Every structure is written in structure tokens, then in C-alpha cells.
Amino acid sequence: MEKKQMIYNKLLNLVKEENVKVDEPLKDHLYTKLGGNADFFITPTSYEEIQNVVKLSNEDEIPFTLLGNGSNLIIKDGGIRGIVINLKHLNAIHADEEMVTAQSGARIIDASRFALEKHLAGLEFACGIPGTVGGALYMNAGAYGGEIKDVLDHAYVVDKEGRLVKRMASELDLDYRTSNIPDRGDIVVEACFRLTPGTREEIKEMMDDLTFKRESKQPLEYPSCGSVFKRPPGYFAGKLIQDSNLQGTNIGGAEVSTKHAGFIVNKDNASTTDYISLIEHVQKTVKEKFGVDLEREVRIIGEDKE
Ligand SMILES: Cc1cc2nc3c(=O)[nH]c(=O)nc-3n(C[C@H](O)[C@H](O)[C@H](O)COP(=O)(O)OP(=O)(O)OC[C@H]3O[C@@H](n4cnc5c(N)ncnc54)[C@H](O)[C@@H]3O)c2cc1C
């Protein structure tokens, strides 16, 4: 039997048929609207299903990749070999006194709104970050002075052996837009945030203020992957790009945003190659002009197109 058919049959034993797709176009799942296909795209409905898929991946040496909301990823035009796991069905959120627990497929925006309705403060900073809870932990997402590290108490992960394990926040090495989740090969399945009681009015006012700032500064009218670069120590990436006169520069359909220099937007049917070439052009120009290395915040994964 052909290997692909064999893997498909094995996946059907572990995950419901309607939740296993073959040759799925990933551009439909990414904020940039770019990228090739996944050999297999699965959307498990329980932690046990995830554990079984990890065990299958180990036994049969099939690579797997987690995909959250696709808001911090560029996937190359050749797509992703093996299994892409998306946890959109695992999106429950609940509160127990001052703790808010969210499954990792929930949007962090929804966790932030849920906390508001429970009059719990601490997740306001996340009210406009368009990722999932899992993606937010992976990146230690943050905005306007707040970050996941400030509020995370613990998480549950499926580790690389397929075991369900509790990890305290201090074990995740959360730092500026980074964690040890990729090094460990963990899949985040649940996060528990420790918040503080507040008033609905104050929490709402802060969220409205941050939303106003975000909408007035960011080019949300175009597909993008948010800020492309991390903040280099002592500088602001956007300011360096602006001062290098790069705003409006384009390669193919990808353009350095004229509204926010830290964003690269997919203005007109860009390919991933356009996007990556423009990122490299920005890095080279800023290095030449200011001697500063811009490190990417956005992750680039997948295969080149043959
Ligand atoms: C318009 C816009 C504005 C943005 N603003 C901000 C901002 O203010 N602050 C900020 O920090 N970011 C911002 N971002 C970037 C992005 O939203 C965050 O990095 C977010 O945390 C990514 O989550 P995601 O679910 O989209 O992850 P994805 O992009 O799908 O994946 C990112 C990485 O996380 C991994 N991953 C995803 N889920 C899991 C899981 N369950 N377990 C293990 N690994 C996982 C993926 O494999 C991948 O390597 C912005 C993006 C856009 C498009």
C-alpha cells in the first residue's frame, strides 16, 4: 500500500474521519493568506487523540507541526510534510475564582473577553492579539507592557513521548517572544491564568484604549503576520525601518506597510518567496545603515516549492 494511504488509514483509527484532511491548503489557515499544502491536516477533539497521534508520529517517524491561528507564521510555498495539528475544536474556557483556564485552541482574545465578563484583570493586554492560547504561550505573546509570563500559572502539555504533563509557568522559560516549548517539543493543550479581581468598567476601559491604539497604528485592513521583527535591544524595529526609508518598498505583492513600518503586508497576491525576499531586504538594509541585526519574530517553516 502507498505510504500516504497507510498513514491516512492509521490516522482514521485515531481521529474522527471528518477531522482528517489530506493535501489541505494552508493559506486558508494563515493570516498572510500564503503557503503550500499540508500532507495531512487534523483537528483532534480530545487530549487523548493528540497523545495517540504523537505516539503514531514517534512509532512511524512521521513529523508533525502545530498550527494555531496562523498569525505568526509564514509557510513556504512547498507546504508541510507530515501531519499538521490544529486544536480549533479544543477551545473551552472556564473560571474558578481568580483562575481562568483555557484550552489551547481558544483564541487569546476570547480568554481576555471571558476574563472581562468575570471581572478579572490581567489579560487586557491580549485583547487584540489574534492568536490562540497555545500560540500565545509558545511566543510568550505580549503587548502594551503586558505579556503571558505575567499571568500564566501553569499549563498542561502533551510531551514528545505522548504523555499529558503539567508544567508550571516557571518551567517554560518565558521571555521576550520566546519559550522552551519548541525545544522540548511540547504541545500545549491547556493554560491556566492567575488573574486579579477588578471592576468591569476599569477592565473594559483599558481594553477599549488598547484596541483604539492598535486600530489606529496597525494596517489591519491587509493580510499580514503582525510585527515581523523582535525589538532589538536599545532600538525599535519599526523606527529603524522607517529611518531606512523602507516603508512602501515592495517585492512582488509584499510591501513594507506605510502605516506601521514593523509590518509587512500581503498587498497584492504575494508569494511566500516575495515575503521572505522582502524580509531579507529589510534586514540587509537596516544592517548596512545602522549596524543593527533585526531578528525575526515571525516563524518561517515548510518546504520550498520544487
Ligand atoms: C495583526 C496582527 C497583530 C499582532 N499583534 C501581536 C501583539 O500585539 N503581540 C504579540 O505578541 N503578537 C502579535 N501578533 C503575532 C501573533 O498573533 C502571536 O505571536 C500569537 O501568539 C501567535 O498565535 P497563533 O495561534 O496564531 O500561532 P501560530 O502562528 O499558528 O503559530 C506560532 C508558533 O506557535 C506554535 N504553536 C501554536 N499552537 C501551539 C500549541 N498548542 N502547542 C505548541 N506549539 C504551538 C506553532 O507551531 C508555531 O511555531 C500579531 C499578529 C497579527 C497578524
Side-chain angles (χ1 to χ4, degrees):
M1 199 190 305
E2 197 204 335
K3 185 156 186 231
K4 203 160 175 183
Q5 184 66 45
M6 219 166 66
I7 299 173
Y8 181 66
N9 292 346
K10 287 191 176 182
L11 283 171
L12 289 189
N13 288 330
L14 306 179
V15 182
K16 291 188 196 86
E17 187 174 356
E18 66 267 28
N19 296 330
V20 181
K21 302 233 169 79
V22 181
D23 294 329
E24 175 74 359
L26 292 171
K27 63 178 166 41
D28 298 344
H29 302 276
L30 287 198
Y31 261 70
T32 50
K33 305 287 173 219
L34 297 169
N37 293 356
D39 289 345
F40 300 98
F41 183 86
I42 64 163
T43 49
T45 54
S46 70
Y47 301 164
E48 201 185 346
E49 285 181 7
I50 302 170
Q51 291 176 266
N52 289 335
V53 170
V54 170
K55 287 175 193 159
L56 170 71
S57 148
N58 289 338
E59 280 157 19
D60 287 17
E61 296 181 2
I62 312 160
F64 69 83
T65 305
L66 262 291
L67 174 64
N69 231 3
S71 63
N72 200 45
L73 275 181
I74 292 175
I75 293 180
K76 292 187 184 172
D77 296 326
I80 296 187
R81 301 290 72 80
I83 307 167
V84 169
I85 306 176
N86 176 268
L87 303 182
K88 67 178 180 183
H89 296 309
L90 294 165
N91 60 8
I93 305 175
H94 71 267
D96 184 3
E97 299 192 345
E98 290 159 25
M99 307 291 260
V100 167
T101 301
Q103 289 187 311
S104 65
R107 298 186 320 152
I108 191 75
I109 291 178
D110 290 336
S112 171
R113 287 186 191 144
F114 181 90
L116 163 72
E117 295 314 328
K118 298 286 175 193
H119 304 185
L120 291 170
L123 271 175
E124 296 90 328
F125 74 87
C127 71
I129 300 179
T132 58
V133 167
L137 262 63
Y138 183 104
M139 296 299 300
N140 183 29
Y144 303 110
E147 57 182 356
I148 291 295
K149 187 181 178 183
D150 302 336
V151 283
L152 185 71
D153 187 78
H154 65 268
Y156 279 91
V157 305
V158 170
D159 74 2
K160 62 180 180 199
E161 310 301 337
R163 293 172 299 216
L164 187 64
V165 179
K166 181 178 180 178
R167 301 228 192 271
M168 298 311 293
S170 56
E171 294 175 74
L172 295 179
D173 288 351
L174 297 168
D175 208 338
Y176 175 58
R177 302 300 166 264
T178 167
S179 71
N180 64 16
I181 294 167
D183 299 338
R184 278 202 162 123
D186 283 346
I187 299 176
V188 181
V189 294
E190 197 174 294
C192 186
F193 302 104
R194 184 182 293 278
L195 305 177
T196 44
T199 67
R200 194 179 187 286
E201 291 67 33
E202 276 177 11
I203 298 168
K204 175 93 170 46
E205 195 180 314
M206 164 96 95
M207 287 168 71
D208 288 347
D209 182 42
L210 297 185
T211 303
F212 175 76
K213 284 191 180 130
R214 190 177 283 275
E215 286 175 354
S216 53
K217 291 203 180 116
Q218 297 184 356
L220 302 178
E221 61 280 23
Y222 292 111
S224 82
C225 46
S227 297
V228 176
F229 304 103
K230 293 187 183 183
R231 197 174 51 237
Y235 298 90
F236 288 101
K239 178 89 170 72
L240 291 169
I241 296 166
Q242 197 177 339
D243 293 348
S244 304
N245 292 323
L246 284 163
Q247 281 184 285
T249 304
N250 59 55
I251 294 182
E255 182 176 292
V256 179
S257 167
T258 48
K259 190 166 175 185
H260 186 311
F263 278 53
I264 292 181
V265 292
N266 179 358
K267 202 156 179 198
D268 186 16
N269 275 316
S271 66
T272 305
T273 313
D274 297 336
Y275 233 86
I276 295 172
S277 306
L278 188 52
I279 291 173
E280 287 168 355
H281 176 69
V282 169
Q283 286 172 316
K284 187 167 167 279
T285 310
V286 168
K287 176 77 176 169
E288 278 166 11
K289 235 178 150 142
F290 297 102
V292 179
D293 288 308
L294 287 182
E295 188 192 338
R296 262 191 291 106
E297 176 173 326
V298 63
R299 298 199 60 228
I300 300 176
I301 59 173
E303 317 264 318
D304 288 318
K305 202 166 184 172
E306 282 171 14

